[in-house]
Amino acid sequence: MLLGVFTTIYIMTLAMQMMVPYIVRETIVFGVTVPDQHIKHLALAKLKKQYVQLVGGSGIVFLIIMLMCYNRLASSESTQSIVLLSCLFSMLTVSMVLYWINHHKVSTLKRQEQWGVNIKQVRAVDLTARSRDAMIPWTFFAVPIGIAVFLIIYTLLHYDLMPNDIAVHWGPSGEADAWRNKTYFTAISLPLVMLMMQCMMWGITDSIKRSAIKLAVNRKAESLEDQLKTRKYMSWKILLMSYALTILLTVLQLSNIYPSMIVGYKLLPVFILFLAVVLGSLFIYILKKRKHRVRYEDNVDSQVMDVDEDRYWKGGLIYMNRQDPSVFVEKRFGVGWTMNLANPRGYIVIGLPFLLLLLISIFSL
């Protein structure tokens, strides 16, 4: 069961990594801004193709190694998990190394051929865009937050029913494999974690909703549609993850209050359901993103281009722009959004809940 679940995760992750160059904006190639007038450069198409081939080839090799080593070298469940995770992270490491190599090549090509030097940079704006934004409202996140609060109160009211040893970790099979002595804090630590994570996901969604809607100056209508759809699908993805996490952690907490729930492998289907929702929503988001991506049939014959923001991106991955009020922006390489590290509000949305999660984990263990 563990091998089947992990193999599915591995294959989906590999497929996503291979699709990345064809998901992000066509004017962003390996984290580098490419003017519309040069997006069909033959060297760019070649680099993308080579990246897909190398990531796919190395990913298949690591998959074969994973399958061969799983039964031959792994004698325990923990060792098997280490083998599986090692192969997954090896594949991701290869893809990241290839990204850095290609990022350097595109940056060098752009500098040598002086792309955009004599082209006017313009920032496109649509004042009606906000009224058409269809992201999930914050009220949808009130339900999981309310469940977390209710679960804390319910646990305190049923504290006497809980065993002296409380499960704090569950293995790949769905069975508890680590326990701690019962205290009021350890009893509510799991719903506290759930509450912090729910607040974090609500904060991320709200911040994305407040972020700037960035349009392509030479493809205003198409890029607006892409932006509105992308934001909508991302909010739905986060909401699904929020509800899936609520179900998972609620079941785990109830299993601490009512230990008969954890007999055998009864919790395994809940873990599988959670993974299916998380990976499924992510994969659907990628497909939708690919569908609505602005497409260019040829180089654009125009005297203007989008504002080149390469100076705000470190390596095309880390975004730092004090002039941008957005807390989150779309990734230049990868799936989803990344934080503007120069915006202090981001540290409240992400940093504060993460710090509280860390403190809860330390004191509950």
Side-chain angles (χ1 to χ4, degrees):
M1 178 65 75
L2 174 61
L3 180 61
V5 172
F6 202 90
T7 300
T8 302
I9 295 174
Y10 182 95
I11 293 175
M12 292 184 67
T13 304
L14 176 60
M16 292 175 193
Q17 289 298 312
M18 294 172 64
M19 292 172 63
V20 166
Y22 303 99
I23 297 173
V24 297
R25 283 191 176 190
E26 200 166 350
T27 52
I28 302 295
V29 181
F30 292 107
V32 180
T33 300
V34 176
D36 303 23
Q37 293 80 358
H38 301 280
I39 55 178
K40 293 302 180 180
H41 197 291
L42 294 178
L44 300 179
K46 183 179 180 181
L47 288 176
K48 290 180 182 180
K49 184 177 180 180
Q50 288 178 344
Y51 171 86
V52 173
Q53 291 174 340
L54 291 173
V55 171
S58 61
I60 292 174
V61 171
F62 284 120
L63 177 61
I64 294 173
I65 294 174
M66 182 180 74
L67 296 175
M68 292 177 62
C69 294
Y70 180 78
N71 292 320
R72 295 185 181 182
L73 302 179
S75 56
S76 65
E77 191 175 81
S78 60
T79 308
Q80 290 173 343
S81 300
I82 292 174
V83 169
L84 297 177
L85 288 173
S86 297
C87 291
L88 175 62
F89 284 113
S90 297
M91 180 268 290
L92 292 174
T93 300
V94 169
S95 66
M96 185 54 64
V97 170
L98 291 172
Y99 163 79
W100 279 109
I101 293 173
N102 288 323
H103 174 78
H104 177 72
K105 288 181 177 179
V106 176
S107 297
T108 302
L109 181 64
K110 178 181 179 180
R111 184 171 57 255
Q112 289 177 345
E113 299 193 0
Q114 297 185 328
W115 291 350
V117 172
N118 298 315
I119 303 175
K120 184 179 180 180
Q121 298 183 20
V122 177
R123 190 180 301 280
V125 177
D126 188 333
L127 299 179
T128 67
R130 290 289 178 187
S131 62
R132 299 169 55 188
D133 202 351
M135 290 187 66
I136 297 294
W138 71 270
T139 50
F140 281 76
F141 290 89
V143 175
I145 291 175
I147 291 175
V149 173
F150 170 79
L151 199 57
I152 292 173
I153 298 173
Y154 186 84
T155 300
L156 293 175
L157 293 176
H158 294 79
Y159 179 78
D160 294 336
L161 295 178
M162 302 180 73
N164 292 328
D165 295 322
I166 298 176
V168 294
H169 187 271
W170 289 261
S173 65
E175 291 188 292
D177 56 11
W179 294 264
R180 292 293 179 271
N181 293 331
K182 182 175 73 170
T183 65
Y184 280 102
F185 184 77
T186 55
I188 64 172
S189 60
L190 200 59
L192 279 176
V193 167
M194 179 168 67
L195 179 62
M196 291 300 102
M197 295 187 72
Q198 301 295 0
C199 290
M200 185 187 297
M201 285 187 277
W202 165 72
I204 292 173
T205 304
D206 183 69
S207 297
I208 292 176
K209 187 178 182 66
R210 296 171 184 268
S211 65
I213 299 177
K214 298 185 177 181
L215 307 181
V217 66
N218 293 311
R219 289 286 191 278
K220 293 181 183 178
E222 298 95 321
S223 61
L224 175 58
E225 185 69 15
D226 169 60
Q227 283 283 288
L228 294 177
K229 294 292 185 182
T230 296
R231 294 156 68 90
K232 174 184 175 181
Y233 295 140
M234 176 53 69
S235 66
W236 275 103
K237 173 182 172 296
I238 296 175
L239 183 69
L240 286 174
M241 290 179 58
S242 175
Y243 277 72
L245 182 69
T246 299
I247 293 173
L248 173 63
L249 295 186
T250 298
V251 171
L252 293 180
Q253 181 66 8
L254 290 177
S255 71
N256 274 329
I257 301 175
Y258 306 104
S260 60
M261 294 179 60
I262 64 174
V263 176
Y265 293 86
K266 290 183 178 180
L267 293 179
L268 184 58
V270 181
F271 284 96
I272 294 176
L273 176 63
F274 174 74
L275 288 174
V277 172
V278 171
L279 292 177
S281 61
L282 177 59
F283 203 71
I284 292 174
Y285 171 79
I286 291 175
L287 294 178
K288 292 292 186 180
K289 178 67 178 173
R290 170 67 178 167
K291 177 181 177 182
H292 296 285
R293 180 182 186 231
V294 179
R295 289 174 171 79
Y296 296 80
E297 299 299 330
D298 202 351
N299 292 329
V300 176
D301 184 14
S302 174
Q303 299 302 314
V304 297
M305 61 173 283
D306 296 321
V307 175
D308 190 334
E309 296 185 334
D310 285 357
R311 63 187 180 277
Y312 300 122
W313 289 87
K314 312 304 179 184
L317 298 175
I318 301 174
Y319 184 65
M320 301 180 69
N321 184 359
R322 294 182 182 275
Q323 285 72 47
D324 189 352
S326 302
V327 176
F328 290 92
V329 295
E330 276 196 89
K331 291 182 178 180
R332 284 196 159 195
F333 193 81
V335 180
W337 297 62
T338 189
M339 193 174 85
N340 178 6
L341 296 180
N343 191 324
R345 187 171 180 267
Y347 294 96
I348 299 176
V349 175
I350 295 293
L352 182 58
F354 182 80
L355 178 61
L356 293 174
L357 285 173
L358 183 61
L359 293 174
I360 292 171
S361 300
I362 293 174
F363 286 106
S364 63
L365 297 178

